[in-house]
C-alpha cells in the first residue's frame, strides 16, 4: 500500500509563501501521478494541482494558476507544492494523493491519500 505524509503547513500572513512536501512510501513513486488537493471547513475537497509521472506535464486549478507550483523529486520520493501570494481563501487542509491515472488525480478520484496538513492564511 502506498503511504503519503504531508508536511510544511502552518500559519502565514496574506501575501506570504509556504512550501508543502509529501513523502511517499510503499510503492514505486516514479510510476505514480501525484496531486495536491485542499478542503476548507464545510467545503468539499477540491483539486489544486497535479503532475504526471514524468514530471513534464502539470495541471492547476484556475484559482491557483500563477501562484502555486507543483514539482516532484523521484530520487527522494517527494512531491512539493510551492505556494506564493497566499490569501485567506487558500486556508484549508491540504492533501496529497497518488494514482497511476492522471485523470483520476485531476478529478479527485486518486487511489492513495495522505492525512493532510493545515494551511492558515491570515489577513
Amino acid at each position: 500500500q502506498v503511504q503519503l505524509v504531508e508536511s510544511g503547513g502552518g500559519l502565514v500572513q496574506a501575501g506570504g509563501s509556504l512550501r508543502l512536501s509529501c513523502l511517499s512510501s510503499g510503492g514505486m513513486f516514479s510510476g505514480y501521478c501525484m496531486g495536491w488537493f485542499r478542503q476548507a471547513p464545510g467545503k468539499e475537497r477540491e483539486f489544486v494541482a497535479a503532475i504526471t509521472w514524468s514530471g513534464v506535464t502539470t495541471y492547476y486549478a484556475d484559482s491557483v494558476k500563477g501562484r502555486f507550483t507543483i514539482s516532484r523529486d523521484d530520487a527522494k520520493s517527494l512531491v512539493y507544492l510551492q505556494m506564493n501570494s497566499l490569501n485567506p481563501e487558500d486556508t484549508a487542509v491540504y492533501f496529497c494523493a497518488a494514482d497511476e491515472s492522471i485523470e483520476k488525480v485531476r478529478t479527485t478520484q486518486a487511489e492513495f491519500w495522505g492525512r493532510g496538513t493545515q494551511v492558515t492564511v491570515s489577513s
Side-chain angles (χ1 to χ4, degrees):
Q1 289 278 326
V2 173
Q3 293 181 316
L4 306 172
V5 180
E6 304 94 338
S7 62
L11 176 64
V12 64
Q13 291 184 328
S17 299
L18 284 174
R19 189 182 74 162
L20 305 183
S21 299
C22 175
L23 178 64
S24 176
S25 63
M28 185 179 297
F29 179 78
S30 61
Y32 286 92
C33 302
M34 303 295 297
W36 284 98
F37 304 81
R38 65 188 183 186
Q39 187 168 21
K43 304 291 185 180
E44 293 187 21
R45 190 171 300 183
E46 65 176 343
F47 168 78
V48 175
I51 187 168
T52 59
W53 64 266
S54 66
V56 301
T57 306
T58 57
Y59 305 86
Y60 297 95
D62 289 342
S63 59
V64 305
K65 285 182 179 178
R67 299 189 298 122
F68 292 9
T69 303
I70 187 171
S71 61
R72 64 190 297 160
D73 184 342
D74 288 353
K76 298 179 179 179
S77 297
L78 286 170
V79 60
Y80 303 100
L81 184 68
Q82 179 65 47
M83 305 185 294
N84 299 324
S85 301
L86 287 164
N87 57 63
E89 289 69 39
D90 297 315
T91 295
V93 176
Y94 283 71
F95 302 86
C96 67
D99 200 285
E100 294 180 349
S101 168
I102 188 64
E103 290 302 317
K104 286 189 174 180
V105 172
R106 293 178 64 190
T107 58
T108 324
Q109 298 297 312
E111 183 175 3
F112 304 105
W113 293 83
R115 297 293 300 274
T117 184
Q118 177 70 47
V119 172
T120 303
V121 184
S122 62
S123 59

